[in-house]
Amino acid sequence: MHLRQAIILLGLLTVQALAQLATYESFLQVASDWPPGPGAVLVPQQPDDELTAMMAQVDPARIQAIITKLVSFGTRATMSNQTDPLRGIGAARDWIASEMRTFAATSGGRMTVSVPNYVQTPSGSITRNTVISNIVATLKGSTDPNRIYVVSGHYDSRVSSDTNFVDDAPGADDDASGVAVSMELARVMATHTPAATIMFAAVAGEEQGLFGSAFMASGLKNMSADVQGMLNNDIVGSSTADDGTTDPFNIRMFAQGIPSTENLAKITSRVDIGAENDSPIRQLGRFVVEVASNAVTQMNVQMVYRPDRFLRGGDHLSFIDQGYPAVRFTEPHENFAHQHQDVRVVNGVQFGDLVQFCDFEFNARVARVNGVALWSLAQAPGTPKGLTLDTSVLTNNSTLRWTRDPAAAGYEVVWRASEDAFWTHVVPVGKVSSATVLLSKDNAQFGVRAVGANGFKSPAAFPFAE
Ligand SMILES: *[C@@H]1O[C@H](CO)[C@@H](O)[C@H](O)[C@H]1NC(C)=O
Ligand SMILES: *[C@@H]1O[C@H](CO)[C@@H](O)[C@H](O)[C@H]1NC(C)=O
Ligand SMILES: *[C@@H]1O[C@H](CO)[C@@H](O)[C@H](O)[C@H]1NC(C)=O
Ligand SMILES: *[C@@H]1O[C@H](CO)[C@@H](O)[C@H](O)[C@H]1NC(C)=O
Ligand SMILES: [Zn+2]
């Protein structure tokens, strides 16, 4: 098999070389043998100095303190007491909000804290009118405040029966661990200035039907908010499997394929062009794997191609239901004796979601994965919009067009063989709104990402047929 080369034309003028594909075992058909290209294998973007320093401040001891405090409220069941200052979900709500306000106080006015709420009428295991309150700390973007990224965990907890709001429901891993991610990132990022807006959320009513996140996501949708990524952290506090083995450097990220909001016509056009694996959710997932599997996080992000684990769901689904790209982080090996269980000992085995089963160092690394992803998203230009692929004529080359964002310093075409999981190659194309790649769209998947003057790169957009 001879070496394969590809070239790119920028508009109709500039010729740039693409990768020399010596190790590339696939069936890419190229339209030209000239010129032989320099390497353009995609090298993952790395955190800059500011982000690296910020992530060094993520503190396992603070995560431990947050989880221990949340467990101390006894139960955080959604229908538990909302006015008692010591026990129940109301005390947890007020404590989270007051902590978030102390972080906001360091932000020079950029971070604000709100506790939006509504009354949920009886539904499923909610048996009487119940106030559902979220806590949201919003760090306003300096140059692109209308573009939003969300990180969230749920602060409600449960025991074996979802209608039992009396007994102790410590919820250390499920999901004080996820709330700790939102809170610790709010603390370290409050003193920094992202370009786009970041919302650090703790939501309620997850265990009864994703009520808090549905309220948040539908509220954002009703405001026409441009949410370009949501990261849900739910059960991210333990690295130990039920057989006692540990897996402390891997985190699962569930990333759905076709979004639930797509109608049959859209799904049909997606299938027609082989884009089942190229939804905005998968592009967000690829972005997170690229930016957050490195020495700064000391984690390997494992993308799983499904919405969630079997029989389970989570708050990311509320955002997907509003058309927003969202993924879920969950520890790699769950111990089901520690989730949704009455605290008890059976035959010498301790059941219950207790602090003693948490690994705060692991939880801190998961927070860094989220932090690197969020900050990289918020510092980059937005994901390109209006991207199309010209399919008007039979040709071996591929023309992409998109809407140019004045905030982008340039663009890159990324591509991979259609059967590859991740973008493998990148071609800088400059500050343009179209590019023609002499590489057949029949064989490769193409994306376009925006590059900021600061070097941060957006997730890729995927083109539909023009
Ligand atoms: C909640 O706790 C407060 C203070 O202890 C108590 O007065 C109130 O009756 C409780 N509410 C419910 C619904 O149990
Ligand atoms: C958003 O609008 C929909 C449709 O009007 C409505 O059902 C929903 O309650 C609204 N959500 C919020 C949070 O206001
Ligand atoms: C496309 O490439 C194939 C194989 O390299 C070639 O036979 C064909 O003539 C090309 N078509 C056009 C329109 O250039
Ligand atoms: C793309 O391919 C077509 C037909 O194969 C050719 O006529 C056209 O000049 C090519 N465009 C570029 C920019 O090379
Ligand atoms: Zn949960």
Side-chain angles (χ1 to χ4, degrees):
M1 204 180 280
H2 62 271
L3 294 183
R4 296 181 178 85
Q5 293 98 20
I7 62 166
I8 171 157
L9 267 86
L10 309 183
L12 291 172
L13 296 173
T14 318
V15 181
Q16 276 207 1
L18 231 189
Q20 189 231 40
L21 306 171
T23 60
Y24 189 53
E25 293 298 318
S26 77
F27 303 95
L28 289 176
Q29 181 185 57
V30 296
S32 171
D33 289 327
W34 183 91
V41 170
L42 189 146
V43 176
Q45 51 176 322
Q46 297 297 314
D48 66 0
D49 291 346
E50 180 187 21
L51 178 51
T52 301
M54 230 189 293
M55 291 302 100
Q57 290 168 17
V58 171
D59 183 354
R62 304 238 7 161
I63 297 220
Q64 176 172 12
I66 291 166
I67 294 173
T68 304
K69 183 69 182 182
L70 287 170
V71 169
S72 79
F73 297 114
T75 176
R76 306 186 306 279
T78 300
M79 286 177 64
S80 63
N81 197 305
Q82 300 211 357
T83 56
D84 189 295
L86 298 175
R87 185 178 175 86
I89 192 166
R93 171 201 62 210
D94 293 348
W95 179 77
I96 295 166
S98 78
E99 286 290 294
M100 290 292 212
R101 288 191 188 102
T102 68
F103 309 149
T106 69
S107 73
R110 288 187 306 280
M111 182 182 279
T112 52
V113 178
S114 64
V115 186
N117 64 78
Y118 77 103
V119 176
Q120 177 61 51
T121 53
S123 168
S125 57
I126 300 277
T127 55
R128 55 169 154 72
N129 282 0
T130 301
V131 176
I132 307 280
S133 302
N134 298 331
I135 302 100
V136 183
T138 302
L139 183 60
K140 192 175 177 189
S142 59
T143 60
D144 201 357
N146 297 327
R147 177 161 52 94
I148 297 170
Y149 301 96
V150 178
V151 61
S152 182
H154 70 85
Y155 70 100
D156 61 310
S157 65
R158 61 169 287 180
V159 288
S160 301
S161 163
D162 202 15
T163 52
N164 176 346
F165 51 88
V166 175
D167 291 339
D168 277 357
D173 195 3
D174 186 10
D175 181 32
S177 67
V179 174
V181 169
S182 288
M183 292 177 70
E184 186 61 353
L185 291 178
R187 183 183 73 84
V188 304
M189 290 184 174
T191 54
H192 295 257
T193 310
T197 293
I198 304 175
M199 294 179 131
F200 307 87
V203 300
E206 194 273 351
E207 301 290 7
Q208 282 75 29
L210 314 180
F211 289 123
S213 58
F215 173 59
M216 182 175 180
S218 81
L220 287 162
K221 183 71 178 188
N222 289 4
M223 290 162 46
S224 303
D226 185 16
V227 178
Q228 294 198 6
M230 184 273 188
L231 309 178
N232 176 27
N233 290 273
D234 196 350
I235 311 182
V236 295
S238 169
S239 58
T240 304
D242 55 9
D243 64 0
T245 58
T246 64
D247 186 4
F249 301 108
N250 285 301
I251 182 71
R252 285 184 295 175
M253 177 183 60
F254 290 88
Q256 170 166 347
I258 298 173
S260 53
T261 43
E262 288 192 355
N263 60 24
L264 190 56
K266 177 82 174 181
I267 293 169
T268 301
S269 58
R270 184 178 281 289
V271 170
D272 281 348
I273 60 168
E276 310 89 274
N277 192 15
D278 278 283
S279 67
I281 305 166
R282 291 274 159 84
Q283 308 308 351
L284 176 64
R286 290 189 177 100
F287 178 92
V288 173
V289 170
E290 182 193 331
V291 302
S293 302
N294 53 41
V296 169
T297 64
Q298 296 178 27
M299 287 297 261
N300 174 43
V301 179
Q302 302 172 322
M303 175 150 67
V304 183
Y305 285 169
R306 54 173 59 93
D308 210 319
R309 300 99 75 230
F310 289 97
L311 299 175
R312 310 297 285 268
D315 293 318
H316 56 305
L317 301 179
S318 296
F319 281 74
I320 291 172
D321 282 347
Q322 299 296 340
Y324 297 134
V327 296
R328 174 190 184 136
F329 293 103
T330 297
E331 64 203 31
H333 307 281
E334 296 170 80
N335 185 330
F336 301 118
H338 299 165
Q339 297 173 8
H340 301 190
Q341 294 285 347
D342 293 335
V343 178
R344 66 196 192 281
V345 176
V346 180
N347 298 328
V349 176
Q350 177 71 60
F351 284 74
D353 192 353
L354 300 167
V355 180
Q356 70 201 57
F357 301 125
C358 292
D359 175 347
F360 309 113
E361 299 276 350
F362 172 82
N363 205 147
R365 284 192 294 276
V366 175
R368 291 187 193 108
V369 165
N370 280 264
V372 169
L374 271 182
W375 193 257
S376 301
L377 287 163
Q379 291 295 72
T383 303
K385 296 189 174 178
L387 177 62
T388 58
L389 180 65
D390 188 336
T391 55
S392 58
V393 287
L394 286 175
T395 157
N396 289 328
N397 54 34
S398 308
T399 298
L400 297 147
R401 296 188 186 89
W402 58 92
T403 307
R404 216 175 102 185
D405 173 359
Y411 289 88
E412 291 177 346
V413 173
V414 291
W415 60 270
R416 63 182 205 275
S418 73
E419 78 277 23
D420 281 347
F422 297 98
W423 301 113
T424 55
H425 288 74
V426 60
V427 190
V429 296
K431 209 169 175 174
V432 294
S433 58
S434 72
T436 296
V437 181
L438 294 192
L439 190 61
S440 174
K441 58 188 169 293
D442 295 334
N443 308 329
Q445 308 293 96
F446 290 106
V448 173
R449 63 185 190 181
V451 186
N454 57 8
F456 280 95
K457 295 159 188 191
S458 75
F462 186 85
F464 270 66
E466 207 159 68

